[in-house]
Amino acid sequence: MTREDSGRGDSTITARLSRGAILAPGICDALTASLATQAGAEALYLSGAAIAYTRLARPDVGLVSVSEVAEVIALIRDRVETPMIVDADTGYGNALNVQRTVRVFERAGANVIQLEDQTFPKRCGHLAEKRIVPAAEMVGKIRAAVDARHSQETLIIGRTDAAAIEGLEAAIARAHLYAEAGADILFVEAPKSAEQLKAIVDALGDVRPLLANMVEGGQTPLYSAAELGQQGFSIIIFPGGVVRAIARTAQDYYRSLIKTGSNAAFRDSMFDFDGLNDVIGTNALLALGKSYEDEDKSEVAETA
C-alpha cells in the first residue's frame, strides 16, 4: 500500500460532523499525518505555525508562503486520505489572493480551509500585539473564498482574532458577519475563560459549527475534546502539540547523544531500524514495486 486511508468511510468533514464533535490532531508533515491516521484520527489539522516551526525553525509570524504550505498539503495527501483542515492564515493578501490560495490548496488536497482576519504579516493567535483588518474587508475575503472553491464539500472556516483587540462581543459580531458571508465553520480565537467559551457557544452554536483551539501554555483554558464537544463545539484542534512533543524529545535525544556518544541511553525511547520501517510501510511499498516488476517480466515472456 502506498497510501493510508482513515478507514472511517467518510470522505468529507461535513459527513463526519453529522455524527458529533471531531478531534483533529495537529500535524506538520506526511510522517505525522500517517502516524495520526494510524492512531485513528478522523481528521487532521495542518497549521501554518507547525510548518514554520518545523521547516523554518521560526515562530508563527507570517514567514511561511502559500507555495510552501501547498507543497506540504500535497505531500501529506499523497500519503493519507484522512480529511484535512488547512490553516491558510490571512489568505496571503487581498480577496484575489484568497481566491488563488483556495484554488491552490483545494487542488493540493485540503478539505477545509481556514482564513483569519488579522493583518499581514500575522501572528500566532495566542501571541500579543495582534492586529486585525476591518470587518468589511474580511467579509469580502470570505465571499471570495466561497466563490473560488471548486467543490461545495470544501469548507471555509472564518476565524476572528478580534477578542484580544476589540473584546469578545466584537469578535462574536464579526463571526456572525462571516457566517452571513458564507463561512461554513466559525472560529473565535483565544477566549480566555470558561465563561468566554460558553458565551461563544451561546451566541454562535445555532449559527454554524464551532471550532475550539487547544494550545498548551496559550490563553485558552485546556479541556478535552469530549468536554468541549459537550459544551457545543464541533471541531477541536490541538494544532501544535505534536511539534512541542517532537521538539522536546529531539532536544533530549541530541543532548543524550552528545553527552554519551551513543544512542544506548535513549534506546527505549526510539524506534529501531525495523520498527520505523514497519511504521512507514517499507515492506508493503517494496512488495508493490516488485509486483510491477514481476508483471513486466510476465508480459515480456508472453510476447517473446
Side-chain angles (χ1 to χ4, degrees), residues 256 260 262-269:
S256 175
T260 67
S262 166
N263 282 333
F266 216 80
R267 192 73 178 269
D268 292 339
S269 298

Side-chain angles (χ1 to χ4, degrees), residues 198-247:
K198 183 178 184 301
I200 291 167
V201 173
D202 290 346
L204 299 168
D206 292 333
V207 178
R208 292 288 190 277
L210 302 177
L211 184 148
N213 180 18
M214 295 290 98
V215 178
E216 300 80 9
Q219 298 184 28
T220 304
L222 294 179
Y223 293 95
S224 70
E227 290 170 329
L228 288 163
Q230 290 172 358
Q231 290 180 38
F233 289 93
S234 297
I235 301 175
I236 300 91
I237 62 172
F238 292 77
V242 68
V243 180
R244 283 185 279 279
I246 290 171

Side-chain angles (χ1 to χ4, degrees), residues 98-173:
V98 165
Q99 290 201 316
R100 182 167 183 267
T101 297
V102 168
R103 290 193 295 266
V104 168
F105 284 12
E106 185 179 36
R107 285 197 301 268
N111 302 98
V112 184
I113 298 171
Q114 176 187 302
L115 296 163
E116 65 193 51
D117 57 8
Q118 286 195 49
T119 59
F120 188 84
K122 55 76 52 87
R123 287 173 176 251
C124 170
H126 289 254
L127 289 176
E129 299 182 10
K130 297 183 292 184
R131 295 178 296 171
I132 53 177
V133 300
E137 180 177 337
M138 184 61 179
V139 165
K141 287 186 172 185
I142 296 292
R143 291 174 51 222
V146 170
D147 288 345
R149 62 185 173 187
H150 176 73
S151 169
Q152 294 299 309
E153 294 293 346
T154 300
L155 305 183
I156 304 299
I157 297 176
R159 165 179 151 176
T160 179
D161 285 75
I165 302 159
E166 299 178 344
L168 187 63
E169 289 187 11
I172 289 172

Side-chain angles (χ1 to χ4, degrees), residues 18-297:
S18 67
R19 304 208 316 270
I22 303 172
L23 165 61
I27 57 172
C28 58
D29 56 17
L31 176 61
T32 51
S34 178
L35 292 171
T37 296
Q38 290 175 27
E42 298 178 284
L44 308 171
Y45 184 88
L46 177 64
S47 74
I51 295 174
Y53 298 155
T54 55
R55 298 195 73 171
L56 308 180
R58 294 293 187 183
D60 182 21
V61 290
L63 299 177
V64 177
S65 69
V66 60
S67 58
E68 288 171 320
V69 179
E71 180 183 12
V72 176
I73 297 169
L75 290 170
I76 292 168
R77 185 52 75 221
D78 188 58
R79 189 66 180 90
V80 302
E81 296 181 352
T82 314
M84 182 170 25
I85 304 167
V86 177
D87 177 9
D89 288 341
T90 64
Y92 310 97
N94 63 18
L96 296 179
N97 295 110
V98 165
Q99 290 201 316
R100 182 167 183 267
T101 297
V102 168
R103 290 193 295 266
V104 168
F105 284 12
E106 185 179 36
R107 285 197 301 268
N111 302 98
V112 184
I113 298 171
Q114 176 187 302
L115 296 163
E116 65 193 51
D117 57 8
Q118 286 195 49
T119 59
F120 188 84
K122 55 76 52 87
R123 287 173 176 251
C124 170
H126 289 254
L127 289 176
E129 299 182 10
K130 297 183 292 184
R131 295 178 296 171
I132 53 177
V133 300
E137 180 177 337
M138 184 61 179
V139 165
K141 287 186 172 185
I142 296 292
R143 291 174 51 222
V146 170
D147 288 345
R149 62 185 173 187
H150 176 73
S151 169
Q152 294 299 309
E153 294 293 346
T154 300
L155 305 183
I156 304 299
I157 297 176
R159 165 179 151 176
T160 179
D161 285 75
I165 302 159
E166 299 178 344
L168 187 63
E169 289 187 11
I172 289 172
R174 279 179 174 246
H176 276 288
L177 293 175
Y178 302 165
E180 293 171 6
D184 303 288
I185 299 164
L186 299 176
F187 176 11
V188 178
E189 173 65 300
K192 295 183 178 181
S193 65
E195 291 74 21
Q196 289 194 348
L197 286 165
K198 183 178 184 301
I200 291 167
V201 173
D202 290 346
L204 299 168
D206 292 333
V207 178
R208 292 288 190 277
L210 302 177
L211 184 148
N213 180 18
M214 295 290 98
V215 178
E216 300 80 9
Q219 298 184 28
T220 304
L222 294 179
Y223 293 95
S224 70
E227 290 170 329
L228 288 163
Q230 290 172 358
Q231 290 180 38
F233 289 93
S234 297
I235 301 175
I236 300 91
I237 62 172
F238 292 77
V242 68
V243 180
R244 283 185 279 279
I246 290 171
R248 177 64 180 272
T249 302
Q251 187 180 68
D252 290 345
Y253 165 76
Y254 286 121
R255 285 174 174 171
S256 175
L257 177 59
I258 299 304
K259 180 180 179 180
T260 67
S262 166
N263 282 333
F266 216 80
R267 192 73 178 269
D268 292 339
S269 298
M270 59 192 293
F271 286 115
D272 64 10
F273 182 77
D274 290 335
L276 181 59
N277 278 305
D278 287 342
V279 168
I280 62 177
T282 299
N283 288 336
L285 192 62
L286 292 175
L288 178 63
K290 189 174 186 303
S291 72
Y292 292 121
E293 294 173 3
D294 292 342
E295 186 174 313
D296 290 342
K297 291 176 181 176

